[in-house]
C-alpha cells in the first residue's frame, strides 16, 4: 500500500511508481497514481518480487512539495477487500456484493489498475493509446472489403484543397495522405492561390500526373483563403465536399469511415470527426474527442472544425465561402449550413480521429491568439447567425476561440420559485438564504424553504424570522414537509406550491458568488428548446465540484472536471463555454414549470435520495429538450454537509439499489452519453482517455 500527499502548483498531477525487479525499469512495470493537491492519495501496488522502486511525482515540469509519503508491505488478504471496495464504488461490473470474493487478487488486478491508468493527457500517454487502442480497432484491407460488400451506396467525395506557398515537406505529406486513402471514390480539387514559391507548382503538377483524380487550378491573383476555397469548390462535382488545409493530413481510413457512417444515415448533410495535432516530425498529440451534435457548444466554439464533410448541394446553396471572414471561414460556412439542416440527426459525429492538424509556427493549431483577426471574424459570423435566427442575442469574445452568447430575458422577467429543502443546519441554511437575498440581481424570484422536520431551535427561529421580515417584501415562504427525508418528494411537493413559471432546485448548502447568476440561468431556461440549466459549482477551496454531469461514469453518472482548479480552462476550454450536457446536478438547477410537469417531476418512488436529478434530466432530454450548463452562474457548494455522507450500511444498500434502478431504466444510454465521447474514460471524471479494454467492451 502506498500513500502520498503533495502540495501541487497546478492542483493535480499524475504521479507514477516504477519497479525494477532486476531487469531494469519499464512502462509494463509501472503504476499510476493520480494526485490532487492537499489530498491523501493511496493505492495498492502489485510487486512480484524484491524490487527497487522509483517515484515520479509529476509527469511534466512543475513544482511540488511532498508532505506525506508511505510504503507499507501488506498481505493479499488485506489488499483484496480494499481493491474490491474501490472497484465496486466505480466499476459497474463489480456492483454485486459477492463478485470477486472467491477469486485471487490477480483475477481482477487489471480492472483495478485501469482505474488509475490513462489519466495522462500528455503526448506519451496518447502515443500509448494510439498503439493499444486505435490501431487495434482499425480494419485491415480484407475487413474493408467485407464491411463494404453489403453497402447500399458508394458516396463520392470532392476534397477541397486551397494552397499557397506551402512548405514542400508539408505539401507532400498532405497529398500523400490523400493518395493513401483506403476508399477510392474521391477527387481532389486543388486551387493554388498564386503561390510565389516555385516548388508548389512543380509538386502539384507531379501529383496531378500521378493520379487522374487530382485536378489543379492555379489562380492568376492571390485572393486569400475564401476566394481560393471557392475556386476549389467550383471544380467539385461529387456528393460531398471535404475541407482540408494544405499543411494538414488525413488518416488513411478517413473517407472509408465517412462512407461507412453514411450507410446508417444516408440523408446526412454534415459530418465531422475527432481530430488531433501533428508536429513537423510527424508526432501526433493533443487529441480532441468531441461530443455529438451540440448546438450550444457550437455557439461557444467551432468544436466541429476538422474533419468537416458537407453535402455539396448544401454548400452551394448557402453560397460557398464568404470573403471577409478569413481565418474563420469554416466557422462561418458551418453556421450558415447548420441553419438549413431541418433534422439534427443529419449532423453526424464520427468518434474517430480522422484528421491531423499541423501545429507549426503561425498556425491556430498552436493557439487561436496566433491569428487575432480570426476571433473577430468568428464573432461577426456568430452575431450574424444570431441576428438572423435568434434576435436579441449578443455575442462576445470570452477569449480567442471561446465566445459567449448573452441571451435576453423577457420583459417583464418571469417569476422564479427557488425551492430550498432543509432540515436543521442553521449555519449553512442562513449562508444560502442570505447569499441569495443579498447578492442576486435578478428582480423577480421567491424562495420556498421546505422544512423537513427540523428540531434545532436556532434553525426554527431563523426560518420564522426570515419569513416574517417585512423588508424582504414577502419574498421568502416556509413550507412544512412532515415526512421522512425524500429529496424527490420534497421538491415535487414544493413545485405544486410554487407560484413561478420557472422552478429552481437549490440545495441548502450552496452559496451565491456572482450577482447575475440567476439572470444567466433564467436567460437559458426561458428558451423553448432548453430543458434543465445547471451552474458552475465550487468546493469551498475553489476547486470544481460541478461542471455538468457525464452519463456512465462509475456505472451511472459523475461530475465532469471534478477537483480541477476553479480557474482551469477544462477539456478544450469546456469550463469557459456554455454547452449542452445530458444532465446537471439538482444542487442548482433551473427548469420551466411546464417542462417539469410534462415529465412528471422527480421520481419519488424509487429514487428518493440519489440520481433523481440525473433521471429527471434524462427524461427532459428524451422529451426533446436540450439540457445546458453555463460557467457564468457561479456558486459554492458545501456538499452533503446537511445530510452527511453515505457511509452506513443502510445508506450503502440504498445507494446500490438506486444504482440498479438507473441501470435497469436507462440501460445502454448510460454507456453512451452523446455529449461526451466513447474514446474517453468512464472510470474517472477528468476527460482522460479510455483504456483499450473499455473501447472493446471489457472495462
Amino acid at each position: 500500500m502506498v500513500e502520498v500527499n503533495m502540495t501541487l502548483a497546478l492542483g493535480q498531477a499524475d504521479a507514477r511508481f516504477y519497479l525494477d525487479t532486476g531487469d531494469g525499469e519499464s512502462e509494463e512495470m509501472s503504476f499510476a497514481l493520480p494526485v490532487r493537491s492537499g489530498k491523501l492519495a493511496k493505492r495498492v501496488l502489485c510487486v512480484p518480487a524484491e524490487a527497487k522502486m522509483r517515484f515520479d511525482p509529476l509527469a511534466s515540469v512543475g513544482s511540488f512539495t511532498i508532505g506525506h509519503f508511505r510504503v507499507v508491505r501488506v498481505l493479499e488478504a488485506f489488499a483484496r477487500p480494499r481493491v474490491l471496495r474501490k472497484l465496486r464504488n466505480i466499476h459497474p461490473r463489480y456492483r454485486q456484493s459477492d463478485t470477486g470474493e472467491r477469486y485471487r487478487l490477480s483475477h481482477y488486478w487489471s480492472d483495478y489498475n485501469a482505474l488509475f491508468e490513462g489519466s495522462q493527457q500528455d503526448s506519451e500517454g496518447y502515443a500509448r493509446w494510439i498503439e493499444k487502442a486505435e490501431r487495434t480497432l482499425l480494419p485491415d484491407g480484407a475487413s474493408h472489403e467485407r464491411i463494404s460488400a453489403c453497402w447500399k451506396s458508394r458516396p463520392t467525395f470532392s476534397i477541397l484543397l486551397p494552397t499557397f506557398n506551402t512548405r514542400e515537406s508539408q505539401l507532400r505529406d498532405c497529398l500523400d495522405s490523400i493518395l493513401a486513402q483506403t476508399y477510392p471514390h474521391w477527387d481532389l480539387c486543388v486551387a493554388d492561390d498564386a503561390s510565389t514559391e516555385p516548388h508548389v507548382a512543380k509538386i502539384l503538377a507531379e501529383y496531378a500526373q500521378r493520379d487522374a483524380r487530382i485536378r489543379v487550378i492555379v489562380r492568376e491573383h492571390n485572393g486569400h483563403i475564401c476566394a481560393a476555397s471557392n475556386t476549389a469548390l467550383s471544380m467539385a462535382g461529387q456528393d460531398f465536399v471535404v475541407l482540408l488545409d494544405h499543411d494538414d493530413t488525413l488518416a488513411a481510413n478517413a473517407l472509408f469511415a465517412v462512407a461507412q457512417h453514411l450507410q446508417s444515415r444516408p440523408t446526412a448533410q454534415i459530418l465531422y470527426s475527432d481530430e488531433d495535432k501533428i508536429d513537423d516530425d510527424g508526432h501526433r498529440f493533443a487529441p480532441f474527442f468531441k461530443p455529438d451534435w451540440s448546438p450550444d457548444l457550437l455557439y461557444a466554439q467551432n468544436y466541429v472544425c476538422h474533419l468537416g464533410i458537407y453535402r455539396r448541394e448544401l454548400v452551394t446553396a448557402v453560397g460557398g465561402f464568404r470573403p471577409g471572414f478569413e481565418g474563420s471561414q469554416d466557422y462561418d460556412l458551418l453556421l450558415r449550413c447548420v441553419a438549413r439542416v431541418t433534422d439534427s440527426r443529419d449532423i453526424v459525429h464520427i468518434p474517430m480521429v480522422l484528421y491531423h492538424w499541423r501545429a507549426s509556427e503561425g498556425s491556430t493549431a498552436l493557439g487561436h491568439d496566433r491569428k487575432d483577426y480570426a476571433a473577430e471574424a468568428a464573432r461577426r459570423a456568430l452575431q450574424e447567425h444570431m441576428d438572423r435566427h435568434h434576435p436579441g442575442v449578443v455575442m462576445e469574445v470570452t477569449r480567442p476561440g471561446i465566445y459567449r452568447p448573452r441571451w435576453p430575458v423577457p420583459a417583464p422577467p418571469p417569476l422564479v420559485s427557488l425551492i430550498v429543502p432543509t432540515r436543521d443546519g442553521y449555519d449553512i441554511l442562513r449562508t444560502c438564504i442570505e447569499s441569495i437575498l443579498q447578492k442576486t440581481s435578478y428582480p423577480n424570484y421567491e424562495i420556498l424553504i421546505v422544512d423537513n422536520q427540523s428540531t434545532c431551535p436556532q434553525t426554527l427561529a431563523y426560518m420564522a424570522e426570515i419569513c416574517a421580515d417585512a423588508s424582504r417584501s414577502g419574498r421568502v415562504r416556509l413550507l412544512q414537509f412532515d415526512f421522512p427525508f425524500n429529496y424527490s418528494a420534497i421538491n415535487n411537493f414544493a413545485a405544486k406550491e410554487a407560484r413561478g413559471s420557472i422552478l429552481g432546485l437549490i440545495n441548502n448548502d450552496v452559496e451565491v458568488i456572482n450577482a447575475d447568476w440567476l439572470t444567466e440561468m433564467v436567460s437559458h431556461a426561458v428558451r423553448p428548446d432548453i430543458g434543465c440549466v445547471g451552474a458552475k459549482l465550487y468546493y469551498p477551496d475553489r476547486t470544481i465540484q460541478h461542471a455538468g454531469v457525464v452519463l456512465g461514469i462509475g456505472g451511472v453518472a459523475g461530475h465532469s472536471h471534478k477537483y480541477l482548479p476553479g480557474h482551469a480552462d477544462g477539456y478544450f476550454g469546456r469550463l469557459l463555454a456554455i454547452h449542452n450536457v445530458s444532465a446537471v446536478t439538482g444542487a442548482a438547477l433551473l427548469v420551466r414549470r411546464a417542462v417539469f410537469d410534462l415529465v412528471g417531476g422527480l421520481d419519488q418512488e424509487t429514487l428518493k435520495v440519489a440520481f433523481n436529478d440525473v433521471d429527471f434530466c434524462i427524461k427532459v432530454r428524451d422529451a426533446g429538450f436540450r439540457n445546458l450548463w453555463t460557467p457564468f452562474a457561479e456558486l459554492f457548494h458545501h456538499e452533503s454537509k446537511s445530510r452527511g455522507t453515505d457511509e452506513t450500511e443502510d445508506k450503502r444498500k440504498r445507494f446500490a439499489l438506486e444504482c440498479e434502478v438507473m441501470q435497469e431504466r436507462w440501460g445502454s444510454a448510460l454507456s453512451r452519453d452523446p455529449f461526451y465521447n466513447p474514446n474517453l474514460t468512464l472510470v474517472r471524471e477528468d476527460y482522460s482517455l479510455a483504456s483499450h479494454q473499455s473501447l472493446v467492451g471489457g472495462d
Side-chain angles (χ1 to χ4, degrees), residues 208-254:
Q209 193 170 26
R210 286 172 56 180
D211 195 308
R213 293 173 295 180
I214 299 176
R215 293 179 292 150
V216 180
I217 290 180
V218 178
R219 292 169 49 83
E220 293 184 5
H221 305 287
N222 180 265
H224 302 296
I225 185 66
C226 292
S229 297
N230 281 331
T231 299
L233 178 61
S234 69
M235 292 187 279
Q238 307 302 335
D239 302 329
F240 292 86
V241 295
V242 179
L243 308 188
L244 177 62
D245 289 343
H246 61 165
D247 52 356
D248 299 340
T249 62
L250 298 179
N253 65 314

Side-chain angles (χ1 to χ4, degrees), residues 406-461:
R406 287 188 178 269
W407 293 80
V409 173
L415 177 64
V416 180
S417 297
L418 302 177
I419 300 170
V420 185
T422 194
R423 177 172 179 170
D424 299 324
Y426 165 76
D427 290 334
I428 59 171
L429 177 64
R430 182 184 180 88
T431 298
C432 173
I433 300 301
E434 295 300 325
S435 73
I436 295 174
L437 293 171
Q438 294 174 14
K439 295 182 180 179
T440 302
S441 60
Y442 186 82
N444 195 18
Y445 67 91
E446 65 171 353
I447 300 174
L448 306 183
I449 300 176
V450 189
D451 178 23
N452 184 208
Q453 301 177 327
S454 293
T455 58
C456 167
Q458 196 174 20
T459 304
L460 294 171

Side-chain angles (χ1 to χ4, degrees), residues 138-141 144 151 155 157-159 173-188 207 210-211 213-214 242-244 248-260 273 307 309 350 352-356:
L138 292 178
D140 55 22
H144 276 96
W151 286 1
F157 304 96
S158 288
I159 304 168
D173 286 348
C174 177
L175 296 171
D176 287 341
S177 76
I178 298 170
L179 292 177
Q181 290 300 302
T182 58
Y183 185 76
H185 305 295
W186 57 264
D187 60 25
L188 175 62
Y207 277 80
R210 286 172 56 180
D211 195 308
R213 293 173 295 180
I214 299 176
V242 179
L243 308 188
L244 177 62
D248 299 340
T249 62
L250 298 179
N253 65 314
L255 297 183
F256 182 87
V258 176
Q260 185 175 12
S273 76
L307 178 66
I309 306 101
I350 304 171
M352 303 170 68
V353 177
L354 303 181
Y355 193 100
H356 310 307

Side-chain angles (χ1 to χ4, degrees), residues 342-416:
T342 57
D343 188 339
S344 63
R345 292 174 298 177
D346 286 333
I347 304 175
V348 176
H349 168 225
I350 304 171
M352 303 170 68
V353 177
L354 303 181
Y355 193 100
H356 310 307
W357 191 3
R358 182 76 62 178
S360 55
E361 190 59 36
S363 168
T364 50
L366 290 177
H368 289 272
D369 55 350
R370 303 299 174 105
K371 294 181 179 179
D372 293 338
Y373 65 89
E376 176 55 23
R379 189 202 64 78
R380 286 192 292 109
L382 284 161
Q383 190 63 63
E384 284 194 20
H385 176 86
M386 292 301 185
D387 291 345
R388 190 174 297 114
H389 304 286
H390 303 289
V393 177
V394 177
M395 295 301 308
E396 299 175 354
V397 180
T398 300
R399 54 186 264 184
I402 304 289
Y403 309 91
R404 177 186 182 181
R406 287 188 178 269
W407 293 80
V409 173
L415 177 64
V416 180

Side-chain angles (χ1 to χ4, degrees), residues 139-151 154 182 256:
D140 55 22
S143 298
H144 276 96
E145 293 182 8
R146 176 179 52 80
I147 293 170
S148 61
C150 59
W151 286 1
R154 295 289 190 275
T182 58
F256 182 87

Side-chain angles (χ1 to χ4, degrees), residues 25 196 228 252 257 327 342 388 459 521 554 695 697:
E25 296 175 354
T196 57
T342 57
R388 190 174 297 114
T459 304
M521 296 183 77
L695 288 175

Side-chain angles (χ1 to χ4, degrees), residues 265-276:
R265 190 66 187 177
T267 60
Q269 300 294 304
I270 301 171
L271 301 95
Y272 64 97
S273 76
D274 299 337
E275 63 186 90
D276 63 13

